[in-house]
Amino acid sequence: MADRVLFQDTDDLSEQNLTEQRALSNLTDYVERGLGFSADYQANTLDIGSGHAIVRDGMQAYDVFPDARSGLGLASTTGLNYVYLAIQPGTDDDVRYEIESSQTPPSDPSLLVGTVDAGADTSTTSNRAPDGEFQEVSAKNLSNIKLVGPNGYDSLQAAHDALPAGGGKILLTKSISETDVVFTKKVHLEGVQAQTDPFDSGDDDGPFISTSGGDGIWFKRAGTLRDVTIVGSGGTGTEYCLRLGESGVVNISMTVDNVAVWNASGDNVQVRGGCQQWHLNFNEITSAGNDNFVVQTDLGESDYFNGNRCVLRHTSQAGRDGIRIEGPANGNSFFHVSESNGEVGFRAVNGYSFEGNQLMGYGAEANGTVGYDFSGVDDTSRGNTLNVFFGQSNSDPYNKPIFNTLNIARLSEGVWPTTTVRVRKGTPQNITTGGPNTVSFPSALRDNLGEWDETNNQFVPEKTSDYQITFNVMLEASADQNQVDVRFIDDGAVQSEWLWILNGAAFQSRSFTDTLRIPSGTPLQIEMEPVQADDTISGNGLRTNLSINDAR
């Protein structure tokens, strides 16, 4: 092949020249726009919208503009289907879709534009943006992405200050020492250099941020903190390794993921302000002297801690509380491991509301006191769920209470526990014609308030409330398109109903869920009934279960 330089005055605007010039590595084999999917899982067909794609064929690439298609048949009615856009370069405007049951591309130039899972009734589009490969990228000068490390900024504060007013991303590529970092913009701070964590837990928590003598990092606005370890010598009472939020300011959707925090003498993590829909995932929080994780939302009128999910894997401290709630906290989930060697593993104080929270604790240890202390919450607080797997004292594992004794009266009044029912069949049950079939559950795996009636296979609540009901079932039909009605029956009346069309003579699973308001003492049961008289349907008992939770 002769040497060529495109384009010059003598070059033709030929198909070969144009398509060879178009074949750029970072700008081919993707969907530029359109080609959306709409699948009909009953008819096992697929509709695809019009659009634009770039399909590469060796040294050439073609801009392809498919028209919309409808009713394309799926290759597999029970599993994955791979949808390819194919062309025939030797024939003008020869564009087609090929749907395969295996990931085997057509022999002609093609592009995988998506998959359809007929078994799970889901579809996924593919290759909606080009892949990029670059020798080297310098991100320091990108307006909303800053590097801290080699070829970047020397400090987190300098990188933050250089971000635009709307904030942006800071990538930490080395361990640093820095104190009193204040983020007033929305920042996504992420460590990108793996380091062995200082706690020997086998996790890599990213670059270290070492703080000393003051506060570490303060996120005044919602943002993201990911893949770092914060280590501080701190002080006592006021110095924190990490502060999240600001009093009087509502912040929504703060995210912390794969982060470890350790402080030699001061407090570790402080949460302030109005906090809603936060997702906090700490690998380890360890303090040698003060509180570990403090929700301090009692400082302003707009301060609260509501609807958040907290995973605190190791809140260990030697002097005070592992987790301390100072202010209103409602509708949160706390999954935690607390080793409190000086005060309380989990404490709620200051007389604020503490309602609708879910606590799942393991190893809530206390050396000389209790694992959990809720004596300080508002007297009207209700509707919390508390699951404690282990509570003891290091020095005396058999003689220390899990709960503060002041909570006993309130526990008996219904603060904890709320309804949690789990039942499972265990044995198969055929679904026969001639009337509704009440699904039987011989025994309860969990029924903390004694609300499951095993004799009549009914849930009979002690109190009027909203309950979330989830029914998971596995059935096998005798033929394709057998149909079954699934009903939630409350006091003889249908409250929720679904029509399930079974595909093929094979076991299939499905989950049915709804939230119902059920009056006290009113029985609820699950019924199933074949729609047609000749339908034969059998159930798998080991895969059929029911869960009921107070949704208040």
Side-chain angles (χ1 to χ4, degrees):
M1 184 176 182
D3 296 334
R4 291 181 299 156
V5 177
L6 295 176
F7 267 95
Q8 295 178 317
D9 288 345
T10 59
D11 292 323
D12 296 329
L13 291 175
S14 65
E15 176 180 337
Q16 179 177 344
N17 286 343
L18 290 171
T19 56
E20 286 184 352
Q21 187 188 42
R22 188 74 173 88
L24 304 176
S25 296
N26 294 339
L27 293 173
T28 56
D29 285 332
Y30 76 98
V31 176
E32 173 66 25
R33 62 181 178 272
L35 307 191
F37 282 11
S38 178
D40 185 337
Y41 300 104
Q42 300 301 321
N44 293 310
T45 58
L46 175 67
D47 297 344
I48 304 178
S50 60
H52 175 200
I54 296 92
V55 179
R56 186 168 181 167
D57 178 22
M59 295 291 293
Q60 296 172 285
Y62 295 85
D63 286 88
V64 184
F65 299 88
D67 201 359
R69 302 288 202 281
S70 62
L72 298 174
L74 300 181
S76 171
T77 60
T78 58
L80 271 177
N81 293 265
Y82 299 86
V83 184
Y84 292 93
L85 172 65
I87 61 173
Q88 172 47 256
T91 304
D92 287 349
D93 300 329
D94 187 341
V95 179
R96 67 186 186 279
Y97 287 100
E98 294 192 16
I99 302 179
E100 308 290 345
S101 59
S102 62
Q103 196 169 357
T104 304
S107 56
D108 289 329
S110 63
L111 174 67
L112 179 67
V113 295
T115 59
V116 178
D117 190 338
D121 291 357
T122 59
S123 64
T124 305
T125 55
S126 303
N127 293 315
R128 300 292 148 151
D131 292 334
E133 183 177 349
F134 305 92
Q135 176 105 11
E136 184 175 342
V137 175
S138 177
K140 179 177 179 180
N141 295 322
L142 294 177
S143 64
N144 63 341
I145 301 178
K146 308 299 177 184
L147 288 179
V148 175
N151 301 317
Y153 291 90
D154 294 330
S155 71
L156 295 171
Q157 192 66 63
H160 163 271
D161 295 346
L163 288 171
K169 178 180 286 189
I170 298 176
L171 300 178
L172 181 61
T173 63
K174 70 169 187 177
S175 296
I176 62 172
S177 295
E178 193 170 356
T179 301
D180 294 327
V181 180
V182 180
F183 290 163
T184 59
K185 306 168 186 176
K186 186 172 182 177
V187 172
H188 176 117
L189 173 58
E190 182 173 346
V192 294
Q193 180 188 37
Q195 298 278 351
T196 303
D197 74 271
F199 310 114
D200 298 324
S201 61
D203 297 326
D204 288 332
D205 300 308
F208 289 52
I209 302 171
S210 178
T211 69
S212 177
D215 288 333
I217 303 175
W218 187 358
F219 283 78
K220 286 193 171 184
R221 298 296 178 266
T224 301
L225 178 63
R226 179 173 284 127
D227 300 334
V228 298
T229 295
I230 304 175
V231 180
S233 61
T236 58
T238 57
E239 287 78 14
Y240 290 83
C241 278
L242 178 63
R243 276 182 168 174
L244 305 174
E246 182 179 12
S247 180
V249 177
V250 176
N251 281 304
I252 299 176
S253 298
M254 177 78 201
T255 299
V256 174
D257 187 32
N258 193 34
V259 171
V261 184
W262 181 83
N263 205 354
S265 57
D267 295 330
N268 249 323
V269 180
Q270 181 195 53
V271 175
R272 300 175 66 176
C275 313
Q276 185 175 347
Q277 298 176 17
W278 288 23
H279 297 270
L280 308 180
N281 180 12
F282 287 93
N283 284 348
E284 187 151 2
I285 307 177
T286 299
S287 173
N290 271 17
D291 297 329
N292 258 319
F293 183 83
V294 182
V295 176
Q296 198 169 19
T297 54
D298 60 346
L299 303 177
E301 292 183 1
S302 300
D303 292 0
Y304 57 84
F305 193 74
N306 293 346
N308 306 292
R309 185 176 187 271
C310 307
V311 180
L312 313 170
R313 287 190 175 84
H314 192 74
T315 56
S316 173
Q317 57 82 40
R320 291 175 59 183
D321 297 337
I323 300 170
R324 184 178 178 90
I325 311 296
E326 300 179 2
N330 305 290
N332 304 288
S333 296
F334 295 93
F335 302 90
H336 63 98
V337 177
S338 297
E339 294 181 358
S340 175
N341 298 319
E343 292 275 339
V344 178
F346 192 113
R347 188 200 300 265
V349 301
N350 289 8
Y352 287 92
S353 64
F354 192 82
E355 293 197 348
N357 298 289
Q358 180 184 8
L359 280 70
M360 183 173 291
Y362 175 82
E365 305 180 22
N367 188 1
T369 180
V370 299
Y372 295 83
D373 183 356
F374 299 100
S375 59
V377 302
D378 179 73
D379 287 340
T380 63
S381 295
R382 295 291 187 272
N384 300 277
T385 302
L386 182 61
N387 301 312
V388 180
F389 293 113
F390 187 61
Q392 70 165 41
S393 163
N394 285 330
S395 60
D396 190 353
Y398 302 106
N399 196 32
K400 294 292 183 290
I402 299 176
F403 302 108
N404 187 300
T405 54
L406 298 176
N407 289 314
I408 293 176
R410 193 171 302 135
L411 286 171
S412 66
E413 292 172 0
V415 178
W416 294 285
T418 57
T419 293
T420 302
V421 173
R422 301 284 188 277
V423 291
R424 186 176 67 182
K425 283 192 59 59
T427 57
Q429 178 181 349
N430 291 333
I431 309 303
T432 59
T433 58
N437 296 247
T438 298
V439 181
S440 61
F441 296 95
S443 59
L445 300 176
R446 183 170 186 180
D447 182 14
N448 57 337
L449 297 183
E451 295 172 300
W452 183 255
D453 180 352
E454 295 180 0
T455 303
N456 297 306
N457 297 293
Q458 295 175 336
F459 166 67
V460 185
E462 284 193 352
K463 65 178 180 179
T464 300
S465 187
D466 296 324
Y467 295 92
Q468 184 182 53
I469 300 119
T470 302
F471 175 51
N472 301 298
V473 60
M474 174 178 280
L475 298 179
E476 181 181 28
S478 61
D480 194 20
Q481 301 299 306
N482 281 177
Q483 302 178 28
V484 62
D485 261 338
V486 179
R487 310 180 189 112
F488 291 175
I489 306 296
D490 179 8
D491 199 23
V494 177
Q495 300 297 328
S496 304
E497 185 173 13
W498 297 268
L499 176 63
W500 184 8
I501 300 176
L502 297 152
N503 296 319
F507 276 115
Q508 297 154 64
S509 297
R510 187 167 170 183
S511 180
F512 303 90
T513 186
D514 200 357
T515 299
L516 302 177
R517 187 160 189 83
I518 306 176
S520 172
T522 303
L524 175 118
Q525 62 192 36
I526 310 300
E527 290 185 356
M528 304 180 71
E529 183 177 6
V531 174
Q532 298 170 322
D534 59 349
D535 289 350
T536 302
I537 300 171
S538 58
N540 184 318
L542 295 178
R543 300 293 180 90
T544 299
N545 56 77
L546 174 67
S547 66
I548 302 172
N549 294 285
D550 195 329
R552 177 178 176 271

